[in-house]
Amino acid sequence: MSDNNFTHPKMDVERVNEIKKASFWVSQLFILVATVLGVYLAASQGYKQAVQFENMTSYKENYYLQKSLQYELQDNISLLKDLMTRLQDPNNYGARSESLNFYSLVWENMKFSKTTLGTPPEFLRIAQQFYRNIATTQQKIAKGDISTAYGIKQFQEQIDIVEQQLIPALEKSTDQIKKELDGSDVIL
């Protein structure tokens, strides 16, 4: 037998070691890629869930804010209609100078709510004009700058704007928000 048929044992060990080194680095590379990919996918999914949660929370807060504004406006319109009735009564002389104490909890607190800016601006504009125009008209009636009949006509115009434009728009908006939340786990 010749020595050529047999390989040198030291060379076999070196080849095996080289193969082990290469397979070690390849497996480490796969582990690294899998780890990076797993972290990326987990972070991406976590971010999506956080954004979705924030959106749903914002929708819910906006729903309650708009509904509360709607109810407050409806209550204030009732107060205004009561005042209009008293102003038309010829025996009620003090009605001209009566102060109209509107409910303003929601309207005043909207100044401090981050949700207010999620409310459509046209809603806020109409509500703001309503409160401002009613206060101005009431002051003019109390001072005698305008007649009671003209003041009542001004009041009715403001009521009509809110009842025919703002209240239906608020109802439509809150219905839309409610539909958006119906498919989620958020409970109104």
Side-chain angles (χ1 to χ4, degrees):
M1 276 194 146
S2 80
D3 285 334
N4 290 346
N5 290 342
F6 294 104
T7 57
H8 194 276
K10 189 174 184 181
M11 287 189 81
D12 284 340
V13 172
E14 285 179 16
R15 282 186 197 161
V16 169
N17 285 340
E18 286 298 318
I19 292 172
K20 284 182 181 177
K21 286 181 186 178
S23 66
F24 170 78
W25 288 111
V26 168
S27 68
Q28 291 304 311
L29 179 64
F30 280 121
I31 290 171
L32 180 65
V33 168
T35 302
V36 169
L37 184 61
V39 169
Y40 170 77
L41 292 174
S44 176
Q45 189 62 28
Y47 176 74
K48 287 178 186 176
Q49 290 295 321
V51 168
Q52 184 180 16
F53 175 77
E54 182 62 32
N55 285 341
M56 293 300 121
T57 301
S58 178
Y59 282 146
K60 182 178 179 179
E61 290 171 356
N62 208 297
Y63 173 86
Y64 286 127
L65 180 88
Q66 289 182 32
K67 230 7 149 173
S68 297
L69 177 61
Q70 175 187 339
Y71 294 150
E72 184 173 275
L73 285 166
Q74 289 171 328
D75 291 344
N76 287 337
I77 285 173
S78 293
L79 291 173
L80 184 57
K81 286 180 179 179
D82 289 344
L83 175 64
M84 291 166 59
T85 302
R86 287 192 303 280
L87 285 170
Q88 291 174 353
D89 181 1
N91 297 324
N92 193 342
Y93 299 108
R96 268 186 95 99
S97 58
E98 253 183 61
S99 67
L100 185 57
N101 294 318
F102 274 159
Y103 302 114
S104 60
L105 175 70
V106 174
W107 185 249
E108 291 298 320
N109 281 300
M110 285 175 70
K111 295 176 190 174
F112 309 106
S113 172
K114 65 179 181 161
T115 308
T116 301
L117 298 178
T119 303
E122 59 272 9
F123 297 176
L124 300 176
R125 182 172 175 244
I126 294 172
Q128 181 183 38
Q129 288 174 345
F130 171 77
Y131 284 120
R132 183 181 59 239
N133 292 341
I134 294 300
T136 301
T137 301
Q138 183 186 17
Q139 289 172 357
K140 288 180 180 179
I141 291 172
K143 290 179 183 177
D145 292 345
I146 60 173
S147 70
T148 303
Y150 184 72
I152 290 172
K153 181 181 174 195
Q154 293 292 312
F155 286 155
Q156 190 59 53
E157 286 175 7
Q158 292 303 309
I159 289 171
D160 290 345
I161 291 170
V162 171
E163 286 183 333
Q164 294 170 11
Q165 294 177 27
L166 184 55
I167 300 296
L170 283 167
E171 285 178 353
K172 183 178 178 184
S173 178
T174 53
D175 286 346
Q176 185 177 356
I177 292 170
K178 191 173 183 178
K179 285 178 187 173
E180 189 78 30
L181 293 176
D182 281 344
S184 70
D185 293 333
V186 178
I187 299 170
L188 292 176

